[in-house]
């Protein structure tokens, strides 16, 4: 759906009740059978599926608009540039950034965080400085900071988590010190679903003059994100977790910070002029986009965000919350099953373990029933270790899941219990 169509639909029509059957019909993959059973897709936190509108936007771009961007005077190059920059404007609007100059296209959350660590980090962090994260972080929000610390002599600190999976805000407050140069935390934990109190975290950090990076990979698909209201300094997310393509994502960076950051990759498109001795760099945000970008990916991401806007982020959040409550209640009632992560503020992620059954066996048995869940450490080994676990099973919900998916999950888990006694 085009921007105009989406805006017109939300402005003119009364808010429809959430029609999950219609939403499901827009995702062709959900019609698949897996191992002879209708697919139940409960792995959206790893990667969501894409609606037809996204697939068609990519097809339209590839079949009628493609050329390289920002380079040619010919019509197709200008069309491609317009499509690419229009996608940037959609991302700006989606995050409510002040300016499209604050939106840098990247491969995904991982690359966004590496960009900040390499560019901002190497010019602002030195020996004895500290970067403050939490135990909840995905490896993408740990390892780049470890690498920065190894290169600069800084230290990585991590705030602990309470037994229910909530951040220990008191401990966080104590770890925030005169040595802290940056706070980098998840908006929503992928392993446990905990929604972190980001507004309070930003408030505490800013009171000490410390900028805040938020890893929004798991927040953007599930709730409204307004970077001005949160007042964060960096915000990273991935297209493939919000019903868009893989290989594309965005970094929001407050313009005053981005303008002072050195480029981190050199090459075409990020320069204004190049001599053998030196070069002058391009304006924001292109200074941070060296080389030919993922143009069709950006177009697909724009279409995905418009799709989410057309469903309504509040409506998606309410629908998923109902599923979370249902799944939490039904799974809690199963014998010898333990939920891991029971924070009061949670996105639609249910992590659990079963007595006497390895999570991989749970995943394999459910797969034989056509049910896709994630098992393992979820690229969040420190939080698994904090809970004394090597792995959990995780069911995660998206805009297309329904109560029948929860029923099928429960039936599958009952079968697991029977097999393992
Ligand atoms: N952070 C969080 C919280 C995530 O869930 C993920 C993906 N599982 C990432 C970062 C990394 O995202 P990507 O692999 O798309 O770069």
């Amino acid at each position: 759906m085009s921007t105009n169509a989406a805006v017109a639909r939300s402005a003119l029509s009364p808010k429809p009740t959430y029609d999950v059957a219609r939403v499901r019909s827009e995702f062709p993959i959900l019609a698949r059978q897996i191992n002879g059973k209708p697919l139940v897709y409960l792995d959206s936190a790893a990667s969501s599926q894409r609606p037809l509108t996204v697939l068609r936007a990519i097809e339209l771009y590839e079949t009628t608009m493609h050329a390289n961007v920002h380079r040619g005077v010919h019509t197709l190059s200008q069309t491609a540039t317009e499509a690419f920059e229009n996608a940037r404007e959609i991302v700006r609007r989606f995050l409510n950034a002040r300016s499209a100059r604050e939106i840098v296209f990247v491969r995904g959350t991982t690359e966004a965080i590496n960009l900040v660590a390499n560019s901002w980090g190497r010019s602002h962090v030195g020996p004895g400085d500290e970067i403050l994260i939490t135990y909840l972080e995905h490896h993408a929000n740990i390892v780049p900071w470890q690498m920065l610390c190894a290169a600069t002599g800084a230290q990585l600190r991590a705030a602990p988590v309470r037994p229910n999976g909530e951040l220990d805000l008191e401990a966080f407050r104590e770890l925030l010190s005169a040595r802290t140069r940056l706070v980098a935390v998840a908006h929503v934990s992928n392993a446990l679903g905990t929604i972190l109190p980001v507004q309070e975290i930003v408030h505490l950090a800013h009171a000490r003059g410390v900028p805040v990076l938020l890893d929004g990979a798991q927040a953007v698909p599930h709730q409204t994100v307004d970077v001005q209201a949160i007042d964060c300094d960096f915000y990273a997310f991935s297209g493939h977790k919000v019903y868009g393509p893989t290989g594309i994502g965005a970094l929001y960076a407050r313009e005053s910070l981005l303008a002072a950051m050195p480029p981190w990759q050199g090459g075409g498109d990020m320069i204004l002029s190049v001599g053998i001795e030196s070069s002058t760099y391009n304006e924001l945000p292109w200074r941070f986009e060296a080389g030919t970008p993922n143009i069709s990916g950006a177009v697909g991401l724009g279409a995905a965000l418009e799709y989410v806007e057309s469903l309504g982020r509040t409506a998606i959040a309410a629908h998923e919350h109902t599923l979370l409550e249902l799944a939490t209640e039904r799974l809690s009632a199963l014998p010898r099953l333990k939920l891991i992560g029971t924070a009061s503020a949670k996105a639609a992620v249910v992590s659990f373990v079963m007595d006497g059954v390895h999570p991989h066996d749970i995943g394999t048995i459910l797969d034989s029933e056509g049910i896709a869940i994630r098992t393992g450490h979820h690229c969040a080994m420190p939080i698994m270790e904090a809970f004394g676990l090597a792995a959990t099973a995780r069911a995660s919900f998206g805009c297309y899941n329904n109560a029948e998916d929860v029923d099928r999950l429960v039936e599958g888990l009952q079968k697991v219990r029977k097999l393992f006694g």
Side-chain angles (χ1 to χ4, degrees):
M1 183 182 295
S2 74
T3 316
N4 290 345
V7 170
R9 176 171 157 178
S10 63
L12 296 178
S13 48
K15 270 273 165 274
T17 53
Y18 195 84
D19 183 353
V20 70
R22 185 179 58 78
V23 173
R24 291 178 70 78
S25 72
E26 288 160 349
F27 288 79
I29 205 167
L30 296 181
R32 269 206 64 175
Q33 302 263 318
I34 300 286
N35 297 319
K37 310 272 170 58
L39 168 65
V40 172
Y41 192 73
L42 295 175
D43 198 19
S44 297
S47 199
S48 58
Q49 301 297 344
R50 301 99 175 77
L52 268 179
T53 173
V54 168
L55 304 174
R56 288 192 176 132
I58 295 168
E59 185 183 27
L60 183 69
Y61 169 79
E62 295 286 14
T63 51
T64 66
M65 296 179 211
H66 176 68
N68 212 331
V69 288
H70 305 142
R71 286 172 174 83
V73 292
H74 64 79
T75 304
L76 276 185
S77 176
Q78 288 176 14
T79 314
T81 302
E82 268 166 36
F84 185 64
E85 293 303 329
N86 178 51
R88 194 190 309 276
E89 171 54 24
I90 296 170
V91 175
R92 183 208 66 73
R93 189 183 69 218
F94 197 82
L95 296 179
N96 194 30
R98 288 166 204 84
S99 158
R101 287 190 300 278
E102 300 180 311
I103 305 298
V104 180
F105 279 124
V106 286
R107 275 196 299 128
T109 310
T110 303
E111 190 172 65
I113 297 173
N114 277 278
L115 189 165
V116 177
N118 280 279
S119 171
W120 186 89
R122 285 178 188 245
S123 50
H124 288 82
V125 175
D129 288 345
E130 292 179 1
I131 309 287
L132 178 54
I133 61 170
T134 78
Y135 267 85
L136 275 173
E137 304 309 319
H138 186 279
H139 298 165
N141 198 29
I142 302 175
V143 184
W145 307 119
Q146 289 173 342
M147 292 163 74
L148 175 66
C149 288
T152 60
Q155 285 223 315
L156 190 59
R157 298 259 179 255
V161 163
R162 297 187 192 285
N164 67 355
E166 287 175 6
L167 175 66
D168 183 339
L169 207 54
E170 258 329 292
F172 174 86
R173 204 191 302 261
E174 277 165 28
L175 283 163
L176 195 58
S177 79
R179 288 183 298 278
T180 312
R181 286 289 156 272
L182 181 77
V183 166
V185 300
H187 192 168
V188 172
S189 149
N190 67 311
L192 307 180
T194 310
I195 301 173
L196 279 85
V198 290
Q199 215 118 20
E200 204 161 348
I201 288 171
V202 169
H203 185 72
L204 289 171
H206 282 185
R208 287 187 164 271
V210 178
V212 178
L213 175 143
L214 295 179
D215 168 355
Q218 299 293 341
V220 158
H222 303 296
Q223 62 186 81
T224 303
V225 172
D226 180 333
V227 292
Q228 289 191 63
I230 299 171
D231 202 25
C232 57
D233 301 279
F234 300 103
Y235 198 95
F237 75 96
S238 304
H240 70 102
K241 295 191 197 277
V242 61
Y243 314 112
T246 54
I248 188 75
L251 170 71
Y252 157 80
R254 190 189 292 280
E255 188 169 350
S256 54
L257 291 178
L258 197 59
M261 282 162 55
W264 79 302
Q265 289 180 338
D269 227 22
M270 53 75 72
I271 48 78
L272 289 175
S273 69
V274 174
I276 291 301
E277 300 293 322
S278 66
S279 303
T280 55
Y281 302 135
N282 204 344
E283 291 167 16
L284 300 181
W286 305 292
R287 192 190 301 167
F288 294 94
E289 293 177 356
T292 302
N294 180 356
I295 310 165
S296 68
V299 169
L301 173 60
L305 299 183
E306 288 194 324
Y307 177 73
V308 168
E309 284 173 339
S310 77
L311 296 183
R313 282 178 275 180
T314 316
I316 294 175
H319 172 71
E320 291 178 354
H321 192 74
T322 308
L323 291 178
L324 174 68
E325 284 191 333
L326 181 64
T328 303
E329 188 191 319
R330 299 282 308 277
L331 265 62
S332 306
L334 294 177
R336 298 163 66 204
L337 182 147
K338 185 173 173 212
L339 296 179
I340 307 296
T342 49
S344 60
K346 267 188 78 170
V349 168
V350 184
S351 237
F352 58 94
V353 288
M354 291 174 84
D355 239 8
V357 194
H358 193 281
H360 289 322
D361 291 329
I362 303 176
T364 307
I365 295 163
L366 291 183
D367 182 56
S368 71
E369 298 292 312
I371 305 163
I373 62 157
R374 176 85 185 263
T375 60
H377 54 58
H378 316 296
C379 297
M381 288 173 83
I383 193 63
M384 292 289 120
E385 202 175 312
F387 277 91
L389 297 165
T392 70
R394 179 190 72 185
S396 56
F397 298 85
C399 66
Y400 34 64
N401 291 113
N402 59 16
E404 201 186 319
D405 292 339
V406 178
D407 289 341
R408 292 269 310 278
L409 173 65
V410 170
E411 285 162 21
L413 293 174
Q414 283 165 336
K415 183 170 177 192
V416 173
R417 189 75 282 163
K418 260 194 210 126
L419 285 171
F420 279 82

